[in-house]
Amino acid sequence: MESKEQRSALAGILVSRFAYSINWYTTAAPAIYLIARAYGEPLALDGLIASFFFLAVAIFQLPAGAIARIIGSKRTAFTGLMLLSIFSIASPFAPNFEVLLLFRFIAGAGAALYFGPAVGVLSHFFVSGERTGVIGLYNASFQLGAGATLLIWPYLDVKIGWQSAVILGGVICLASALLMRSSVKLKFEGHERSRGSLLQVLRNRKIWFVALGFVGCWGTETAASQYMVQYSEQVLHLHPLYAGLLSSLILFLGIPGGAAAARLERRSGMRRALIATTVAFSLSLLLFTLNTVVAAVAGSMLAGALFTSAVTLTYSLPAKLPEVEPASIPLAVSLVNFLQVLGGFWVPTLFGFMVYRYGFTLTWIAMALISIVFLPFYLTLKI
């Protein structure tokens, strides 16, 4: 039975994770086109807004894990949320496109400081056998927030303007940071620098392989989520409301996917579960090439559930490895995310470029190939 402190910590992390995810997608379509127009930039460059954010998410993953060892997971996660909030609120006030990219980069750095340390906070309250399930809820909370953003924010972009909509996302994140700070009852758990333990994590082959095997899936799911509204309106000719509903499916269906990850691991083992979910995710993207509403709905549902199951497994493995000490869990999880984001941050830009030059059908085929090309890392993984 969970204790009061466990429930309070879990609630604080899940609420902040929900608010954190909002600020990943407040600049997604259709806002991304409104922003490009407002700054007089060509649509071919609109993917840079997402790419600068994801580049910072990647670059600051390892520093986040190292900082968490020194000042503690809770303090690091809180600092990250504050940066994400402040620079999301500041983004609409950028005087030019270059400064906007800088603000999104700093917001991405804040997102990186939150991610791994937040998993570290959960690891302090839940033992190894409970972590896959808890991390599944952690990822499901992200999918819920992201899905809600893709559903609601296109409406807000039209009604109150993209500037106010982006600011609102930042304000929600700021409130969640204060809530997390008060609900997580965790004393200072920082540790002195230990080069040996840090190197042990950074050299761990299992962590590297589980991360690299998912690089393609991470990039293609992020790109699909960013551009699903555009695909729905331009190819399927859906009303903006229904386009938002379809785009949110790929994220909302991640909720049961995250919850199912622990069951998949128990039944099939970590390696088989990773291979099965990666292959199935890749195949689900091909449904979008049929260019029908029924196929798109099925593709969104399958891709969302499979992606979140797979990503939950990739984040739970480092938190369960016996050779990774508790203080190094944020670093281990951050290493996984670092490799995934750095390996896949360019995919949204490629997606936008390919759609502009070749159309959606060839782009979806390319995404399916990218998502599966890293599978050999899982085939050689021994866990």
Side-chain angles (χ1 to χ4, degrees):
M1 181 178 294
E2 295 180 358
S3 68
K4 183 178 180 181
E5 286 190 349
Q6 283 179 310
R7 291 193 297 271
S8 178
L10 182 60
I13 293 295
L14 294 184
V15 170
S16 63
R17 176 73 161 162
F18 177 91
Y20 158 96
S21 70
I22 290 174
N23 291 275
W24 280 57
Y25 291 99
T26 52
T27 55
I32 197 169
Y33 308 115
L34 300 175
I35 294 170
R37 187 185 308 162
Y39 286 98
E41 298 294 331
L43 291 179
L45 294 180
D46 58 11
L48 288 175
I49 298 171
S51 292
F52 266 68
F53 180 86
F54 295 138
L55 179 61
V57 170
I59 290 173
F60 288 93
Q61 286 294 325
L62 295 183
I67 292 170
R69 282 188 56 86
I70 300 170
I71 69 173
S73 297
K74 177 182 173 181
R75 289 184 178 180
T76 307
F78 176 74
T79 301
L81 283 177
M82 293 299 293
L83 281 175
L84 176 59
S85 304
I86 291 169
F87 282 92
S88 292
I89 293 171
S91 291
F93 298 101
N96 54 54
F97 191 67
E98 291 75 17
V99 174
L100 173 65
L101 294 180
L102 175 63
F103 284 176
R104 291 308 293 166
F105 184 85
I106 299 174
L113 289 175
Y114 169 83
F115 175 77
V119 175
V121 169
L122 293 175
S123 298
H124 279 278
F125 290 95
F126 296 91
V127 298
S128 178
E130 300 172 318
R131 287 173 188 165
T132 299
V134 170
I135 293 174
L137 293 175
Y138 180 72
N139 285 325
S141 185
F142 179 93
Q143 301 299 98
L144 179 62
T149 306
L150 289 180
L151 181 63
I152 298 171
W153 257 252
Y155 174 81
L156 294 177
D157 289 333
V158 174
K159 291 298 180 181
I160 65 176
W162 71 266
Q163 297 93 337
S164 297
V166 170
I167 291 171
L168 177 61
V171 170
I172 292 172
C173 190
L174 181 63
S176 77
L178 300 176
L179 175 65
M180 187 204 77
R181 187 178 186 183
S182 63
S183 63
V184 176
K185 309 298 182 182
L186 185 63
K187 295 180 180 179
F188 174 70
E189 82 292 4
H191 294 259
E192 295 295 326
R193 297 175 179 86
S194 176
R195 178 176 296 181
S197 59
L198 292 177
L199 291 178
Q200 185 180 28
V201 170
L202 296 177
R203 292 172 177 173
N204 191 298
R205 184 178 177 181
K206 295 176 183 177
I207 296 175
W208 276 78
F209 275 32
V210 79
L212 292 174
F214 200 68
V215 162
C217 292
W218 191 95
T220 54
E221 192 274 346
T222 302
S225 299
Q226 293 275 344
Y227 286 92
M228 189 59 69
V229 169
Q230 181 184 358
Y231 167 76
S232 302
E233 293 181 352
Q234 294 183 2
V235 177
L236 302 180
H237 307 293
L238 294 179
H239 184 277
L241 174 61
Y242 297 114
L245 285 171
L246 179 59
S247 67
S248 65
L249 271 181
I250 198 170
L251 296 162
F252 282 138
L253 266 293
I255 299 171
R263 182 175 296 180
L264 285 172
E265 182 190 2
R266 287 194 299 267
R267 289 187 174 183
S268 305
M270 179 68 75
R271 179 175 173 273
R272 288 184 179 179
L274 284 169
I275 293 172
T277 51
T278 299
V279 172
F281 172 80
S282 178
L283 293 174
S284 71
L285 295 179
L286 295 177
L287 289 170
F288 295 108
T289 65
L290 300 177
N291 296 331
T292 67
V293 174
V294 172
V297 169
S300 294
M301 294 175 68
L302 288 171
L306 291 164
F307 174 83
T308 309
S309 290
V311 78
T312 295
L313 294 171
T314 68
Y315 295 153
S316 65
L317 175 66
K320 299 177 70 173
L321 290 174
E323 60 264 36
V324 177
E325 60 184 32
S328 295
I329 288 175
L331 177 63
V333 175
S334 293
L335 175 59
V336 170
N337 208 30
F338 165 75
L339 294 170
Q340 291 172 349
V341 178
L342 188 63
F345 85 93
W346 50 271
V347 179
T349 299
L350 176 65
F351 194 106
F353 174 79
M354 289 196 66
V355 167
Y356 182 75
R357 292 292 299 271
Y358 307 110
F360 273 100
T361 298
L362 287 178
T363 302
W364 287 121
I365 294 173
M367 293 301 107
L369 292 173
I370 290 171
S371 65
I372 204 170
V373 74
F374 296 91
L375 188 63
F377 286 104
Y378 288 163
L379 297 176
T380 57
L381 185 63
K382 295 181 180 180
I383 46 178

